[in-house]
Amino acid sequence: MAERSFALEVQDLRIGAGETFRGEGILAITKALLQSGVGYVAGYQGAPISHLMDVLSDAQDLLAELDVHFESSASEATAAATLAASVMYPIRGAVTWKSTAGTNVASDALSNLSSGGVKGGALIIIGEDYGEGSSIMQERSYAFAMKSQMWLLDPRPSLPCIVDMVEKGFELSEASSTPVMLQVRIRSCHLHGTFVARDNRRPTMTLDEATRSPQRDLSRIVLPPAAYVQEAEKLEQRWPAAVQYIREHRLNEFFDQPDADVGLILLGGLYNNTLRALMRLGLADLYGKTDIPLYVMNVAYPVIDDEVVEFCRGKKSVLVIEEGQPDYIEQAIGRILHRARIDCTLHGKDMLPMGGEYTVGVLTDGLRNLFVADAPDLLDGTARATNQPPITCAPQIAALKDSVPARPAGFCTGCPERPIFAAMKLVEKELGPHHIASDIGCHLFSILPPFNLGATTMGYGLAPASASAFSGDSRRKGRERKRTIAVMGDGGFWHNGLTSGIGNAVFNKNDDVTIIVDNYYSAATGGQDIPSSRSAPASRSTHHPISKAIEGVGVKWVREIDHTYDVGRMREVLSEALTTRESGPKVIVASSECMLNRQRREKPLKRKALKDGKRVVTQRFGVDEDVCTGDHECIRLSGCPSLSVKPSGDPLKEDPVASIDQSCVACGNCGEVADAAVLCPSFYRADAVVNAARSERWKHRIRSALIASVQQWREARRPVFS
C-alpha cells in the first residue's frame, strides 16, 4: 500500500497531441515515457523517485492498452538486468531507482549493458539524492557514467525540458548504441508545471513479438574477444555518435549576452537555484532573463568540447557550477580550454564549496565572489540594494536555537519498531552492551536518541553480513564470545539480506542474532508491497512468510513475534537468543503493521462508518497527573513524538509530569514499556465511542452519576484551612 494513490492523476496520462498537461515532475516523466513508445519499465522504489513506481503501478490499465510491460523489481540489480531486452531487440526500455545507493547495487548489470551496447533505447531514470535532504552517503552519479561510459542527462527543472530530455534520451541511446542515465533531483521530481503533450505511442516491437522471433548477436555479448572490441567501439564509434547527436539536437542550452566579460557554466539541475541567486544580486528577473550569459549543460556527460570553446571565447572569466566532489566537469573544461588555447580564467571550487548542496545562499555568495573579482561593475548600487540577507538571519528565527532544543530524527508516532528497541534497552541493562549492526530502513533511527543503539550500517540488507566478521574472528581463536546483534528490515531482507545475510550466516556457521523487523511493507520507501506483505494486490504475489524463507536456507533457531508492542515478550525472546547454548544463527522475526500504512487503511473505513451511523471506537492513552512522579523513564524508553512533558500544576511536585498529546494513535507502546520496565502505573487508556448502542449510553449515564456523587462526597469531606 503506497503512501499515496495516483489513481486520479494517471487519467491525465491519456491526453493527446496539442493538449496541455498539468501536474508534477513524476507524472510528466511517466507521460514522456508513454509518448516515447517505451516497451517495458522496471525499477525499485527509493526517494526521491519512489512515486514514479507508484504512478506506473496505478496506471496498469493504460500500460496494458499500450502493450507496455511494468514490474516492480526485487532490487536495483534486478531492474538493471531487465534492460537486456534492449540489447538484441529494437525495444525501448526504462528502469528507475534511487541513486547513488541503488546505482551501487545495479552497477554490475550496468557495466555489462554498457559494454555490449544496446539496439533499442535504454533509459536509466535515477533520483539523485545529494544534499542536505539526503538520507544516504554523499556521492554523485557522475562517476558511474564516466566509469562505464553511459551518457548522463541532468535536465533543467522545467517540465517541458524534462519531457524533452526523456524523449531525446531514447533517441540519443539509439543513435550511439549506449544506455543513457537521466538524473532528476528532488525538486525536479515534485515541481509542478505544464507542457504541451503528444500522443502516446505503442512500442515499435513488443516483448511478446521479440520472444517469438529471438535474435542473437555475438558482438553484443560481453565475452572475450568481443569485450575488447566493445571497449574500442565505445571510444571510436559510440562517443562521436553521441557528441554529434547532442550538438545537432541542441540538448545543451545557451542563454547568451554577447558583450559580457564573465559567464556561468552550470549543470541543468542547478539552473533554478542559480537563477534565484542572480535575482538576489539584481542580475536576473523572475522570468529567467539574466544579464549574465549561461551555458546550461542538460547533458552532464559527455562534455561537448566545441560548445565549451564557443561559450568561453572572448570572456574574461567563467565560473563552473557543479555540486559535490571531485570537480569532474571543472577538470574537463580546464583541459578543453588549455588544448584550445583559450585565454579565459576558469573558476569553480575556488569560488564555491568543494562539497555540499549548492543552495541559493551558497550560490549567492559564490557569484558575489566572482563578480567582485572579475566584474565589479555588475554589482552597482541597484544590485547591492537587492542583496537581502537570507531569512535564517532574522533575529526572531536565530533566537529559536537558544529556546528550542534540537530534535533528532525518529520513528513515527505509534511505530511498531519502537518497542523492539525499548526491549533491547531493557536487555542491555541485564546483559550489558552488545555490538549491534544496523541496516538501511526506518529502524536505522534506533542509532539516535533515546535508544542510542547501533554501531555500523553498510548497506541495504547487509547488517548480518557486517556482523559476521566479529563472529568468524572470535570462533577461530576459540574464545568464549559475546554474540552480536544485527537488525534488518523486511524490505532489506527481500532485497539482499536473505542470501548475503542469512544464507551467509548459515554457510559459515555463525552464532549471532538477527532481528528482522517485519512491518508488512517496504515502509521506508513509501509503503510499497513486498513478498511478505499481507495485502492482496492484483498484479503481485504476496503472503510469503519470512520465517519459511529463513528455514529454507537452513536456520534452525527461529522465533516469531506477531505483536511487537508486547515489550515483555520481545525482551524475553531477545534475552533467550543471546544466552541460549544452542549453536548456529538465531533469527527473530518481529512483526507488526507499519502504523502509517495502518492509519491510511483504517481512517477511510472509520470515516465511512461514521457517515453510515455505525459504532466507531477511537482509543487514546493518557497519563494520570496525580500518579505520575516525573521520573520520565517512560520517555527514555519510548521516544514517541506524542509523549512529552508539561508542568504538574502541583506546587509540591516540582518536576514536570509526562503528557500525551492528541497525535497519539493508541498503539499502547508507552503503557507496555512502563509495564515491562516495572515503572509507575500512571498510564491509562480511554475509549471514545461514537454512535454508541443504547445500552452503552445507559451505562455511561449511571457511571457518570456515580462518579459525580463520589466527587461531591470527597469535596464535602476535604478539610478547609483558614
Side-chain angles (χ1 to χ4, degrees), residues 455-470:
T456 57
T457 173
M458 297 304 294
Y460 202 24
L462 292 176
S466 68
S468 67
F470 300 94

Side-chain angles (χ1 to χ4, degrees), residues 424-433 633 637 677 679:
M424 290 177 69
K425 293 297 288 185
L426 294 172
V427 171
E428 187 180 73
K429 289 183 178 181
E430 300 172 6
L431 303 178
E633 184 72 5
L637 283 171
L679 303 177

